[in-house]
Each structure stands twice: as C-alpha cells, then as structure tokens.
Amino acid sequence: MLVQIPQELPKEKSISQIKSVVGIDVGVNKLVALSDGSFVENIRVTTNIKTSRRLTMRQRAISRKRQGSQNKNKAYARIARTQHKLAQHRDGYNWQAASKSLSRNNFYMLKYKCYAQTMKKANRNE
C-alpha cells in the first residue's frame, strides 16, 4: 500500500472567497438537516423484505444451535457477515451524502443537539 502525503497543506480561503455557507444539524429522525431547507434522510437498510427476512432466519438459526458448538460459531459468523454488509452499505450512503453536500457548498457550520441533556432537563421540570 502506497500513501502519499502532500508537502504543503492547501491554503485557507479568505472570507471574501466563500460564496455559500450552510449550517448542518445532525438529527435522530433525519440524518442531517441543512440550513438551506434540504434534508438527508436516514437509510433504512433493514426494512428491505429480503434483508430483514435473512436476518431473522439467521438469528433463529443461532438460537437452535447447541451452546458452544462449532455449528453455533458458524452461525455467528454468518450473521456477523450479514451485519457487516449492512454496516458497509450504511457507511457508503453516509459518505455519498456527505460528498454530495460538500460539492454544493463552500463553508459549513455544524450543530449537535445533545438529546440526553435535553431529556434530563425536561424530567426535572415535572
């Protein structure tokens, strides 16, 4: 594997060169909400009928195997492979969504909502 590291980092753009600014809000229901009014939806890879059926079949197969047996280990490996493929599919979608939004805009502001703290404050008021 060959990795090339550039000698110089790209120069920062001045404020006058920035043409579009977009705020990003990372959410729970939607993956990302952009300040220009657009949304990036969460991908639902396990709602596909074929995929969800395959997952349930493999999970059922694990439950039927004897504890500590070689067959149970093989079943664990099968379901791990399936879940790994789903994770790769999800990651690929996230990278595609990020690169698409990056190509459209020059500058980003990121906002995270901390839902745990919000929920704690709501419970205190009750």
Side-chain angles (χ1 to χ4, degrees), residues 35 37 77-78:
S35 64
R78 275 188 218 105

Side-chain angles (χ1 to χ4, degrees), residues 65-66 68-79:
K65 306 295 183 214
R66 189 176 193 135
S69 70
Q70 193 63 30
N71 284 333
K72 189 155 190 160
N73 292 339
K74 288 179 196 174
Y76 277 133
R78 275 188 218 105
I79 197 163

Side-chain angles (χ1 to χ4, degrees), residues 31-82:
L31 182 65
V32 173
L34 301 174
S35 64
D36 62 357
S38 61
F39 293 100
V40 177
E41 295 290 331
N42 273 331
I43 188 169
R44 309 239 189 258
V45 291
T46 55
T47 57
N48 182 353
I49 294 171
K50 184 178 178 182
T51 308
S52 63
R53 183 171 180 270
R54 186 178 297 136
L55 274 174
T56 54
M57 285 171 52
R58 291 195 172 155
Q59 287 167 344
R60 249 188 269 133
I62 287 175
S63 69
R64 288 192 210 106
K65 306 295 183 214
R66 189 176 193 135
Q67 192 70 31
S69 70
Q70 193 63 30
N71 284 333
K72 189 155 190 160
N73 292 339
K74 288 179 196 174
Y76 277 133
R78 275 188 218 105
I79 197 163
R81 198 174 320 123
T82 304

Side-chain angles (χ1 to χ4, degrees), residues 1-122:
M1 180 157 80
L2 178 65
V3 177
Q4 292 181 345
I5 301 173
Q7 296 296 328
E8 297 178 13
L9 293 174
K11 294 181 181 179
E12 293 182 10
K13 292 182 179 180
S14 66
I15 295 175
S16 61
Q17 291 177 331
I18 297 174
K19 295 181 178 132
S20 63
V21 177
V22 173
I24 299 175
D25 185 15
V26 179
V28 175
N29 294 334
K30 304 217 186 293
L31 182 65
V32 173
L34 301 174
S35 64
D36 62 357
S38 61
F39 293 100
V40 177
E41 295 290 331
N42 273 331
I43 188 169
R44 309 239 189 258
V45 291
T46 55
T47 57
N48 182 353
I49 294 171
K50 184 178 178 182
T51 308
S52 63
R53 183 171 180 270
R54 186 178 297 136
L55 274 174
T56 54
M57 285 171 52
R58 291 195 172 155
Q59 287 167 344
R60 249 188 269 133
I62 287 175
S63 69
R64 288 192 210 106
K65 306 295 183 214
R66 189 176 193 135
Q67 192 70 31
S69 70
Q70 193 63 30
N71 284 333
K72 189 155 190 160
N73 292 339
K74 288 179 196 174
Y76 277 133
R78 275 188 218 105
I79 197 163
R81 198 174 320 123
T82 304
Q83 289 173 343
H84 177 70
K85 285 180 183 178
L86 294 175
Q88 282 184 322
H89 190 261
R90 209 175 284 120
D91 286 344
Y93 175 79
N94 291 344
W95 278 104
Q96 283 180 350
S99 65
K100 187 193 293 186
S101 65
L102 278 173
S103 65
R104 285 188 287 176
N105 303 300
N106 291 351
F107 186 75
Y108 289 90
M109 296 184 70
L110 187 60
K111 177 185 173 189
Y112 284 104
K113 289 183 182 176
C114 187
Y115 291 101
Q117 290 178 353
T118 308
M119 291 169 68
K120 282 180 187 177
K121 288 178 186 175

